[in-house]
Amino acid sequence: MDTEGPRVQDDPNIKVMMAGSTLRKVKSRSWKKQRHFRLLEDGLTIWYKSRWAGKGHTTFSITELEAVREGHQSEVLLSIAEEYPADHCFTLVFHGRQGNLDLVADSPGEARAWIHGVRKLIHKAETMDEKERLDQWVWDWFHKADKNKDGKMNFKEVRKLLKMMNVEMNEEHALHLFTMADKSESGSLEIEQFVHFYKMLTQRDEVWKVFQDYSGDGEKLMLDELESFLRLEQHEGDKSSQHAQELIDRYEPSESAKKQSAMSFDGFQLYLCSQEGSIFNPELRDLHQDMSQPLSHYFISSSHNTYLLMDQLRGQSSLEAYIQALKRGCRCVEVDCWDGNDGEPIVYHGHTLTSKILFRDVISTLKEYAFKVSQFPVILSLENHCGVEQQTVMAKHLTQILGDTLLTTLLDGQVPQQLPSPQELKGKILLKAKKIGGLGGSLDDTLTDEVSDDEEMANSDAETLDDPPVNHNAKKSKSKLSRELSDLVVYCKSVHFHSFEHSRLHAKCYEMSSFSESKAKKLAKDAGTHFVQHNARQLSRIYPSGLRTDSSNYNPQDMWNMGCQIVALNFQKAGLEMDLNDGLFRQNGCCGFVLKPLFMRDANTLFSPEKPEERQGHKPLRLSIQVISAQQLPKVNQKEGSIVDPLVRVEIYGVSQDQAREETSHINNNGFNPVWNETLNFVIHSPELALVRFEVEDHDKASRNDFIGQFTLPFTCIQAGYRHINLLSRDGTAIPPSSVFVNISISELT
């Protein structure tokens, strides 16, 4: 079998990794301990343990790694730079929110071997096609089940394997499959025979049935039969003819079938499990939207208190938190600045026990990572608590470190009537902060309106919106603003919000206000349409309540329904709210900007999220989801013999009329290939704003169901027809090959 293991063993760096190395694992300046690391025979798993741990060890997969950083490229390794040279040091960076692994080798040669070896393995894992992925998966299971490592698997090992794979099967049926695969009648399976066993085990009867419906001879789909399937079931219309041939060329493993312009069942299954067979329309994953409209016409992926890795009271402030947010496509990051003891401004959550980092280090990190994932602008939201002296130091760091990347002048020298576009601001960092006067040097009337961020928060959280607290410190806060810092603010001037009427009559397009979640919700309830109109002209930033000390999040959908662009969330906190954020921004090349619906970009719009049916051109849609089956769900409880009882829940998030949830029944003791064939129906009034979330849970009649996996996407990105949904972990990372198989139908409501 052509597997990942044998293919990479000849590489000299991989040989070093397989032989094993003693590396120092570093957690802090005082925690540096030796661990023995090695790459296992599967070429995919890294194993390590301490010399004193007895049988205890830790493993992780290459697929969990995103990158390798060379040298002192983490806060931890920088802190011990004097002790260990850069060419001995490297950092393994994991996908999602998992912390980095900082390591020190005994020699530069050993460090290089691990750096280049791991990079090669990451590249191979990322570039595998569907068949190679499946081969790797089979290889992994064989090695997991082959306990005595003799390259064979007896029936006792097979029974344990089935439990590991999350499948309950009676012994008689398991023995029958084993005997059929054991062609040599030796009582054990070698790798080739195990592949046969695995294929029988994973036979997808529900996919076979769909294949049979369109196959004339029951063996293959001829070109015209595949065309019919694409047109009638996958709703591809005119493009089905050309697409059918492309799919055969791309996914058919049999050369003889290819020559006949036909697709075998294996090819059909590979297509359905590919990106093209995914529920998410692959054309909409890429950058495809008009990026030349004003900034206020886009939803912008935004982070709150970006510097925190955990909670708001005692959590660690870290540069890694900025790197992680930017990697997720975040385009608005927050910096809370306070006076440092030695004249250097510091960043932390003021008046709490959160740790402190230097402002200049944050700006250096921003410079390095701002445009690795997206070329579109980054907004640096400044929560400024510094005195004038250190504000001037901040201005110096911003200009010296960021250089031309920092936008400090008007694009064309003219005071704008509307905000510039993401396209015009590509590669630029914009400072959002208070400003003395207006643009073009004019001292406009907003000068008397300056308030501190703390006062803004107090105003925002005030119970009444009619009479905001009087700002007794206006003159004092004005005088506390550094001219050098003020001059760096161009298109994102922070101002206090008075009322929608006041903004309509007096506000400039470059002025923006921040609202706490509670104030935003009250405004949405009292004046929803005015809020939508306001957000067509100006930027609004929403932030979580100060009471969310555990870094929990509010539902961002409520704010997107109002057209709010900068809906700031605690990126460090996994859960439903971040699933929605990831789901919305998964489209358009994950660039962090999503164009708002047309009816939200008109400053005179009459759209009300509470009454979507009153919008001109309102056309509700019916969404029908047949949940057919799931494949190879991960175990929730790792105890031997524990098998999940899965159910699928579908949730709609959008305007209030569209909020809905439906779920299937649960299937007892089968996480491997449960079949439901149940249909869930929904009516969607504002499809342009709706997100659809699929969640798989382990049913528990005695307590709350356990989370197994989820996938969230915009309704407008759904492909109708027979589709696979590749599930993500709670942390938002892939858990291949876990998926749900569905048949989706979308039609106008009559």
Side-chain angles (χ1 to χ4, degrees):
M1 185 175 113
D2 191 20
T3 62
E4 193 72 11
R7 278 210 300 272
V8 295
Q9 281 174 341
D10 297 335
D11 184 286
N13 296 318
I14 305 296
K15 282 181 176 172
V16 171
M17 292 174 66
M18 292 186 118
S21 301
T22 298
L23 306 171
R24 271 187 182 77
K25 180 180 173 185
V26 185
K27 286 187 178 179
S28 68
R29 292 176 77 160
S30 56
W31 199 103
K32 304 181 283 278
K33 298 192 177 173
Q34 289 192 324
R35 297 285 183 262
H36 187 68
F37 283 77
R38 69 183 172 91
L39 176 68
L40 298 186
E41 296 79 7
D42 63 1
L44 201 75
T45 306
I46 291 177
W47 172 102
Y48 70 94
K49 65 173 285 189
S50 80
R51 283 177 296 180
W52 305 278
K55 287 186 177 178
H57 66 269
T58 305
T59 61
F60 58 87
S61 170
I62 289 289
T63 57
E64 295 172 46
L65 293 176
E66 181 180 291
V68 188
R69 293 190 207 145
E70 272 179 82
H72 300 141
Q73 286 201 66
S74 75
E75 287 163 290
V76 170
L77 291 178
L78 275 169
S79 72
I80 58 160
E82 290 176 11
E83 197 176 344
Y84 298 107
D87 58 6
H88 288 231
C89 301
F90 61 99
T91 301
L92 301 183
V93 181
F94 289 82
H95 288 291
R97 295 173 178 82
Q98 189 176 336
N100 297 339
L101 189 54
D102 290 306
L103 299 169
V104 181
D106 285 342
S107 71
E110 196 162 39
R112 271 197 307 276
W114 278 86
I115 290 163
H116 296 310
V118 173
R119 281 180 180 162
K120 179 164 189 170
L121 293 172
I122 290 173
H123 177 72
K124 277 199 168 293
E126 287 176 346
T127 52
M128 279 194 284
D129 62 24
E130 298 301 323
K131 185 171 186 317
E132 287 172 320
R133 241 179 259 281
L134 193 62
D135 284 351
Q136 181 67 59
W137 183 248
V138 176
W139 178 266
D140 291 349
W141 279 123
F142 185 79
H143 279 279
K144 280 179 190 167
D146 182 18
K147 293 289 184 194
N148 61 6
K149 302 299 175 203
D150 63 353
K152 297 175 183 175
M153 201 164 49
N154 59 35
F155 184 61
K156 185 180 177 187
E157 288 172 324
V158 164
R159 275 195 327 217
K160 281 197 169 170
L161 169 77
L162 293 173
K163 285 273 198 291
M164 286 159 67
M165 290 172 103
N166 218 349
V167 61
E168 182 77 59
M169 185 182 286
N170 69 48
E171 194 158 329
E172 194 179 333
H173 184 53
L175 185 59
H176 173 66
L177 292 181
F178 181 87
T179 308
M180 283 175 69
D182 182 16
K183 296 276 172 56
S184 60
E185 299 182 3
S186 64
S188 61
L189 306 181
E190 294 184 7
I191 182 68
E192 292 300 336
Q193 295 168 326
F194 176 70
V195 171
H196 184 53
F197 171 80
Y198 185 88
K199 276 200 163 180
M200 289 189 288
L201 190 65
T202 55
Q203 171 70 45
R204 297 276 305 276
D205 292 338
E206 73 281 22
V207 177
W208 177 249
K209 184 176 177 303
V210 177
F211 182 80
Q212 291 290 305
D213 286 346
Y214 283 86
S215 171
D217 64 0
E219 297 293 323
K220 60 189 174 300
L221 290 174
M222 299 309 292
L223 187 61
D224 61 330
E225 292 167 344
L226 180 56
E227 245 179 76
S228 296
F229 170 76
L230 294 176
R231 191 175 63 256
L232 299 173
E233 301 292 352
Q234 307 298 73
H235 307 277
E236 291 196 4
D238 296 339
K239 69 173 187 176
S240 56
S241 175
Q242 183 188 341
H243 198 207
Q245 186 60 56
E246 288 171 1
L247 292 178
I248 290 169
D249 293 342
R250 202 168 294 144
Y251 298 109
E252 178 49 52
S254 159
E255 287 303 322
S256 62
K258 267 186 186 174
K259 282 176 186 162
Q260 298 176 60
S261 285
M263 184 176 262
S264 66
F265 179 62
D266 281 351
F268 185 67
Q269 196 159 309
L270 281 171
Y271 150 62
L272 283 179
C273 293
S274 74
Q275 285 281 359
E276 290 180 270
S278 156
I279 188 171
F280 201 115
N281 185 338
E283 291 174 5
L284 302 184
R285 272 187 187 274
D286 299 331
L287 187 68
H288 66 279
Q289 294 181 343
D290 176 7
M291 303 305 287
S292 65
Q293 302 212 20
L295 277 181
S296 55
H297 288 186
Y298 297 85
F299 297 121
I300 303 171
S301 182
S302 305
S303 154
H304 169 251
N305 286 1
T306 314
Y307 47 88
L308 291 177
L309 279 173
M310 292 179 286
D311 67 70
Q312 307 281 314
L313 297 179
R314 295 168 183 272
Q316 182 188 352
S317 301
S318 170
L319 302 176
E320 287 297 332
Y322 285 94
I323 297 170
Q324 287 189 12
L326 292 164
K327 275 191 327 197
R328 292 183 93 95
C330 178
R331 297 286 91 189
C332 179
V333 297
E334 187 178 11
V335 185
D336 279 16
C337 302
W338 299 78
D339 283 337
N341 293 331
D342 57 357
E344 279 293 337
I346 52 173
V347 174
Y348 83 113
H349 199 198
H351 312 302
T352 68
L353 298 175
T354 57
S355 61
K356 302 171 176 68
I357 50 180
L358 291 174
F359 176 78
R360 67 172 184 230
D361 290 345
V362 172
I363 302 308
S364 296
T365 302
L366 194 56
K367 165 83 171 169
E368 186 176 350
Y369 288 92
F371 303 107
K372 283 191 184 292
V373 169
S374 168
Q375 287 304 302
F376 294 106
V378 170
I379 297 170
L380 179 58
S381 180
L382 200 60
E383 182 96 8
N384 177 14
H385 303 275
C386 292
V388 174
E389 199 173 305
Q390 290 199 22
Q391 286 180 43
T392 305
V393 175
M394 284 161 58
K396 186 184 82 176
H397 288 323
L398 285 164
T399 51
Q400 288 184 354
I401 295 169
L402 298 179
D404 292 344
T405 308
L406 182 68
L407 189 79
T408 57
T409 56
L410 292 162
L411 287 180
D412 57 4
Q414 302 294 310
V415 177
Q417 295 306 304
Q418 62 177 26
L419 286 165
S421 69
Q423 184 67 35
E424 291 172 299
L425 295 167
K426 256 187 170 181
K428 293 293 183 187
I429 293 173
L430 282 65
L431 186 63
K432 173 205 160 290
K434 297 185 180 62
K435 183 174 180 68
I436 302 167
L439 289 182
S442 63
L443 288 174
D444 60 26
D445 58 359
T446 55
L447 178 62
T448 57
D449 224 12
E450 296 297 342
V451 292
S452 78
D453 291 317
D454 287 338
E455 289 166 328
E456 184 66 62
M457 195 173 288
N459 291 349
S460 295
D461 283 324
E463 282 303 311
T464 171
L465 296 172
D466 301 324
D467 301 302
V470 178
N471 176 21
H472 298 296
N473 300 318
K475 285 197 174 71
K476 189 174 134 194
S477 58
K478 262 189 310 182
S479 63
K480 285 191 172 181
L481 211 52
S482 150
R483 168 65 73 175
E484 288 86 346
L485 189 62
S486 166
D487 286 348
L488 300 181
V489 178
V490 185
Y491 292 114
C492 297
K493 175 184 174 177
S494 298
V495 299
H496 173 61
F497 175 78
H498 290 273
S499 68
F500 291 129
E501 180 69 6
H502 182 274
S503 294
R504 191 173 61 79
L505 295 174
H506 304 293
K508 312 289 189 293
C509 68
Y510 55 81
E511 295 174 342
M512 60 177 290
S513 301
S514 291
F515 306 89
S516 71
E517 60 175 285
S518 54
K519 180 166 184 179
K521 278 181 183 168
K522 184 154 181 23
L523 287 170
K525 187 174 172 220
D526 295 349
T529 301
H530 291 299
F531 209 167
V532 177
Q533 290 172 348
H534 173 86
N535 287 325
R537 298 185 304 268
Q538 289 172 267
L539 292 173
S540 291
R541 176 177 168 272
I542 317 297
Y543 57 88
S545 159
L547 300 175
R548 293 185 181 274
T549 53
D550 60 349
S551 293
S552 62
N553 282 307
Y554 55 91
N555 185 337
Q557 186 68 51
D558 298 336
M559 309 306 166
W560 294 327
N561 289 345
M562 300 295 141
C564 298
Q565 304 87 351
I566 300 177
V567 179
L569 298 177
N570 290 306
F571 268 48
Q572 70 273 31
K573 189 76 170 184
L576 164 68
E577 298 80 11
M578 275 306 297
D579 291 345
L580 297 178
N581 198 76
D582 291 345
L584 176 67
F585 291 103
R586 192 165 276 124
Q587 62 186 311
N588 205 32
C590 297
C591 75
F593 286 82
V594 168
L595 190 62
K596 295 198 285 191
L598 185 60
F599 57 81
M600 290 188 135
R601 309 197 303 255
D602 174 5
N604 298 312
T605 183
L606 297 176
F607 172 72
S608 165
E610 293 304 311
K611 297 175 182 171
E613 70 281 358
E614 293 181 4
R615 176 169 67 84
Q616 197 174 359
H618 167 253
K619 275 187 186 165
L621 297 175
R622 183 183 298 283
L623 171 64
S624 180
I625 301 170
Q626 182 192 10
V627 180
I628 301 171
S629 62
Q631 293 72 48
Q632 298 172 63
L633 301 172
K635 290 182 76 162
V636 173
N637 187 334
Q638 292 307 318
K639 282 184 196 158
E640 195 168 326
S642 167
I643 291 169
V644 300
D645 305 329
L647 63 85
V648 178
R649 178 181 301 118
V650 179
E651 301 168 336
I652 310 294
Y653 293 87
V655 297
S656 53
Q657 269 182 261
D658 290 344
Q659 308 271 6
R661 59 170 55 189
E662 297 284 340
E663 64 186 47
T664 65
S665 55
H666 68 273
I667 306 278
N668 285 326
N669 288 334
N670 189 353
F672 188 70
N673 55 2
V675 175
W676 289 276
N677 279 320
E678 295 180 29
T679 301
L680 311 177
N681 291 303
F682 303 91
V683 174
I684 316 285
H685 291 272
S686 288
E688 302 91 341
L689 286 170
L691 291 170
V692 183
R693 183 172 188 262
F694 295 82
E695 183 175 350
V696 183
E697 291 185 345
D698 179 14
H699 174 75
D700 191 326
K701 57 179 181 284
S703 62
R704 205 170 158 187
N705 292 351
D706 286 319
F707 173 92
I708 294 176
Q710 69 85 30
F711 188 76
T712 306
L713 77 165
F715 175 86
T716 52
C717 293
I718 289 177
Q719 292 198 103
Y722 286 98
R723 303 293 173 188
H724 278 93
I725 300 161
N726 295 308
L727 295 174
L728 303 175
S729 69
R730 188 181 293 284
D731 200 29
T733 55
I735 41 174
S738 303
S739 62
V740 176
F741 185 46
V742 295
N743 185 9
I744 289 180
S745 160
I746 297 169
S747 57
E748 284 192 17
L749 193 65
T750 50

